[in-house]
Amino acid sequence: MDESPVFRRRRRWWRPLFSVYALLLAACSPVGALNALTPQRSFVLDAAVAYGSGERERLDIYQPSGPAMAGEPVVVFLYGGSWNSGRREEYRFLGEALASAGVLTVIPDYRLYPEVTYPSFLEDNARAVAWVFQHIHRYGGNPQNVFLMGHSAGAYNAAMLALDPRWLGARGLSPASLRGWIGLAGPYDFYPITYRNVRPIFHHPDYPARSQPVDFVGDDSQVPVFLGAARHDHLVDPKRNTEGLATLLRGAGTPGVERIYTGVGHQTLIGAFARTLRWMAPVRQDVLRFIAQESQSSGVRTATAAAPVASRSRDSGSGR
């Protein structure tokens, strides 16, 4: 479903500003401008928390500001970058976008190529998710209300953890431990690989068996899902990947939501979470609606009805 006419009208009014932001997003640090314009008072940040012993086994936790309440919904966000780039610090705008709406957000780093290839980054992601289930109650999060979310390569990672039980199973969890998962502009069915810089990550041409999310639909794929993509995505084909996976999941009876957005591309789809770019597409409000609906339909206690936990202190980004 495309977005409402309201957003199409906003794009006409804001077209001059879009040109400015498009230039900023194409710069050496595409998200630097978004983070610079991100408010700091809507969240409390605990940065560089270790979930393992490795240098890249660190995560940032964005707690909603205000009175600390137990039982907040939790999102673990996995960023993209073709499995060879990306840093958790680049996504402060995303942490703020969710925390400002009352969703406790965790953004982990994970090992990238050339340090590792498939499936090591999935193992790292599973380790981070396991840490969240074990420790997030100390930050006011509800371990019974954890959502996994990813963009681009991170959406592939999220899909694999939500559909293939091997990864969470190795950590004493299962996909059913998740309240839901969210994939934005994800590659879910991309063999044979056409991008040369991605080929060695998946051992081209000897692709590992059952290493695509579409391989697992119907196995036990009942975790509710939100799939979103840009209609005009020139990096990851939305028809083959997002629409294709959504069709398979519907056929398997998996509850879910599918949204295809116009007016955004592969990068600006995630950029539209930032306050300065929300006029481009309603992806943030759609994701928040999905989180709220799945939380309520499962009878999960929310922060508004929970008991207080330890008070929060504002952080400048260097940790508690």
Side-chain angles (χ1 to χ4, degrees):
M1 179 185 296
D2 293 338
E3 73 273 18
S4 69
V6 173
F7 280 86
R8 289 196 291 273
R9 291 197 296 269
R10 288 182 181 178
R11 285 202 303 276
R12 288 197 294 270
W13 283 103
W14 288 85
R15 191 169 295 164
L17 279 180
F18 171 78
S19 299
V20 174
Y21 284 115
L23 290 174
L24 291 172
L25 289 172
C28 294
S29 178
V31 294
L34 298 183
N35 287 332
L37 296 170
T38 295
Q40 304 296 305
R41 299 196 60 80
S42 57
F43 63 87
V44 176
L45 174 64
D46 196 359
V49 178
Y51 69 85
S53 58
E55 182 179 350
R56 286 189 61 84
E57 292 176 295
R58 299 289 184 272
L59 52 81
D60 290 347
I61 302 170
Y62 293 81
Q63 297 174 267
S65 61
M69 303 294 290
E72 291 167 336
V74 180
V75 163
V76 182
F77 175 72
L78 307 176
Y79 54 72
S82 299
W83 301 279
N84 59 27
S85 66
R87 295 183 299 112
R88 67 183 188 278
E89 297 92 341
E90 296 175 339
Y91 291 89
R92 180 170 293 201
F93 73 91
L94 187 284
E96 190 279 336
L98 298 179
S100 63
V103 177
L104 198 156
T105 306
V106 181
I107 305 180
D109 276 335
Y110 53 94
R111 290 175 296 170
L112 303 168
Y113 181 81
E115 181 183 358
V116 298
T117 59
Y118 170 92
S120 296
F121 40 81
L122 296 179
E123 295 167 350
D124 290 355
N125 290 165
R127 191 175 300 111
V129 171
W131 186 96
V132 168
F133 273 94
Q134 293 167 6
H135 300 285
I136 206 63
H137 67 280
R138 298 189 301 186
Y139 294 85
N142 187 345
Q144 296 181 351
N145 199 22
V146 176
F147 294 80
L148 190 56
M149 173 178 168
H151 171 250
S152 192
Y156 165 89
N157 296 359
M160 289 296 286
L161 266 62
L163 297 174
D164 180 355
R166 288 178 292 177
W167 314 113
L168 290 180
R171 296 290 159 185
L173 299 168
S174 74
S177 304
L178 301 169
R179 185 61 56 194
W181 69 279
I182 300 152
L184 301 174
Y188 311 115
D189 180 17
F190 55 92
Y191 291 161
I193 296 173
T194 57
Y195 292 101
R196 292 184 180 275
N197 64 336
V198 174
R199 285 177 173 176
I201 300 170
F202 288 89
H203 313 288
H204 174 86
D206 300 318
Y207 302 121
R210 290 174 65 82
S211 55
Q212 300 276 275
V214 293
D215 296 334
F216 299 93
V217 175
D219 287 5
D220 191 21
S221 50
Q222 295 301 309
V223 179
V225 58
F226 178 98
L227 294 176
R231 182 172 301 281
H232 302 293
D233 186 329
H234 302 294
L235 185 62
V236 177
D237 179 8
K239 184 166 291 294
R240 177 180 179 182
N241 290 277
T242 296
E243 295 183 22
L245 179 60
T247 298
L248 292 173
L249 289 170
R250 282 195 298 270
T254 302
V257 178
E258 178 189 357
R259 294 285 186 270
I260 304 297
Y261 301 94
T262 58
V264 288
H266 185 78
Q267 291 181 320
T268 47
L269 179 69
I270 195 67
F273 278 83
R275 287 177 181 260
T276 49
L277 294 183
R278 286 176 195 167
W279 55 272
M280 295 183 69
V283 57
R284 173 181 177 267
Q285 69 185 50
D286 288 345
V287 166
L288 290 172
R289 184 182 299 113
F290 171 76
I291 292 171
Q293 289 176 346
E294 291 305 322
S295 298
Q296 293 168 4
S297 66
S298 301
V300 176
R301 186 178 62 169
T302 61
T304 56
V309 296
S311 61
R312 296 168 179 159
S313 59
R314 188 156 304 281
D315 185 276
S316 62
S318 57
R320 274 196 189 279

